[in-house]
Amino acid sequence: MKRVILNLLVGILLFPMLAFSYSEDNRADEIIEELAKNSKWEEVLSNAHFLILESPYEAGGYYYMAFAYHHLEMKSKAKTYIKHAKRLKDKNLAYKISQLEFEMGRRKSMPDSTGLSETSSDIRIPKLKDRFYFSYDFHQSMPIGISMGNLRPRGVGSYMAVRSNQGLFTATNGFEVRGNGKPYESDAGFEPTGITRTGSIEGIMGLTWKLIGPLWMYSGAGLNHSRVFYEMENPEENPNLTSWAKSPQNNLNVFALESGLIMNLMGVNLKIGTVMTDFDYNHLRVQVGLGFSLVQK
């Protein structure tokens, strides 16, 4: 049941983003193709430049820049952009890029007839920069949580997460009981009320890597620590007063594994993933997060 819920949540998260991204990219390509058919090269350059700013890690914008500069007979600029488009290895554009390279090779001896400067010093290809992200993580059993790390457009990044709940900060003033909640002989007058509280904290470290567009995946492992607290009363001395006692015998340290998705749009990131403790699917929970990201210099 938990897997079905998780798949549903992931589908709800991804479908609008992928559909929007796909339709927007196709629309931009159609506009540029239409401009190119009518030889409106300056407008092609303007739209292609905008495409680069929107998706600097995709080859489309660079290809159209090279295509326009080639028809404007500005060889150096066309060569610079087509080289960058090839580096991004877009399978959908591979044929078009090879065709353009062939045409550029045939016309490389033609003079620049535009009268415009062809020096490459004014070419600004944006660098793919890493981003640092910070996120508030939430689950009902772990409402206090933060995670931070980096999102890299190329290669693998890293992150760390720390999560806890209010139960961990239960004050006991050194009061301890046995594993079954029964008091030791020194506190023989106390009895458990039957109410317990569990405090937990976990720390996780892992890796992030880019999937597509604004979507990254993360996966990590760490340690989950939990402890149990018993509410105690002393009906003989003060039946209206209760206190909390810790039970060190019930302290538990287990492994924690997690994985999920991070969607980062315009500096805002949304997370959804699962955390499993003690390698037990019965201890599987869905974790969500919301935060921000900044470009790393």
Side-chain angles (χ1 to χ4, degrees):
M1 184 63 182
K2 290 183 178 179
R3 289 184 178 180
V4 173
I5 294 173
L6 174 61
N7 290 335
L8 180 61
L9 289 172
V10 171
I12 293 172
L13 174 69
L14 291 183
F15 180 76
M17 184 276 295
L18 293 176
F20 176 78
S21 176
Y22 179 78
S23 62
E24 287 296 305
D25 288 347
N26 281 355
R27 179 61 180 156
D29 289 346
E30 290 173 4
I31 292 173
I32 296 175
E33 292 282 0
E34 188 64 29
L35 291 171
K37 287 180 182 178
N38 295 313
S39 299
K40 297 181 179 180
W41 303 119
E42 295 298 332
E43 293 183 45
V44 170
L45 289 174
S46 177
N47 280 271
H49 180 69
F50 179 77
L51 200 57
I52 290 174
L53 295 178
E54 284 288 301
S55 304
Y57 33 76
E58 295 178 4
Y62 304 100
Y63 164 74
Y64 288 117
M65 291 290 281
F67 188 73
Y69 279 129
H70 168 63
H71 284 84
L72 289 170
E73 298 179 9
M74 301 176 71
K75 297 182 293 295
S76 294
K77 288 186 176 182
K79 184 178 178 181
T80 299
Y81 280 102
I82 200 67
K83 185 177 179 180
H84 200 75
K86 284 181 65 179
R87 269 205 300 265
L88 292 172
K89 298 179 180 179
D90 188 328
K91 293 180 180 179
N92 296 326
L93 284 174
Y95 179 70
K96 286 185 177 182
I97 290 172
S98 64
Q99 268 192 324
L100 181 56
E101 277 194 305
F102 177 73
E103 285 294 323
M104 290 169 61
R106 288 178 55 188
R107 298 174 59 181
K108 65 182 179 181
S109 60
M110 296 183 65
D112 179 1
S113 60
T114 63
L116 300 174
S117 171
E118 198 195 355
T119 59
S120 60
S121 60
D122 60 337
I123 296 177
R124 297 290 183 265
I125 296 178
K127 294 181 179 179
L128 307 182
K129 294 185 177 180
D130 298 349
R131 299 187 73 92
F132 168 81
Y133 83 88
F134 180 92
S135 175
Y136 166 68
D137 293 354
F138 176 83
H139 182 268
Q140 186 175 1
S141 65
M142 288 277 198
I144 307 170
I146 60 170
S147 63
M148 63 185 75
N150 49 35
L151 304 173
R152 292 179 174 172
R154 298 289 178 195
V156 177
S158 60
Y159 79 97
M160 64 173 291
V162 179
R163 307 180 186 109
S164 182
N165 62 12
Q166 300 95 324
L168 186 72
F169 307 103
T170 301
T172 63
N173 297 319
F175 190 4
E176 294 186 8
V177 294
R178 294 185 173 91
N180 58 5
K182 298 296 183 180
Y184 291 99
E185 288 75 8
S186 58
D187 300 304
F190 286 89
E191 298 177 1
T193 64
I195 299 174
T196 61
R197 179 184 293 176
T198 301
S200 301
I201 185 171
E202 68 184 13
I204 292 178
M205 297 184 70
L207 303 174
T208 63
W209 61 93
K210 189 176 182 62
L211 294 179
I212 183 174
L215 194 65
W216 277 260
M217 188 167 186
Y218 69 90
S219 183
L223 186 68
N224 178 289
H225 170 80
S226 62
R227 53 183 62 180
V228 179
F229 299 89
Y230 290 86
E231 187 182 56
M232 308 295 291
E233 63 180 355
N234 192 330
E236 294 183 3
E237 291 188 6
N238 193 338
N240 298 319
L241 181 65
T242 61
S243 58
W244 289 97
K246 58 185 178 181
S247 176
Q249 295 177 12
N250 288 321
N251 288 358
L252 190 62
N253 296 307
V254 296
F255 284 108
L257 303 174
E258 73 170 5
S259 63
L261 302 171
I262 302 174
M263 184 169 65
N264 187 78
L265 288 171
M266 300 178 67
V268 177
N269 68 72
L270 177 65
K271 292 178 58 184
I272 183 170
T274 58
V275 184
M276 182 175 64
T277 56
D278 201 22
F279 303 103
D280 186 348
Y281 283 105
N282 292 320
H283 297 158
L284 187 72
R285 70 177 192 267
V286 177
Q287 192 91 33
V288 296
L290 179 66
F292 62 89
S293 67
L294 302 171
V295 174
Q296 290 183 295
K297 295 183 179 180

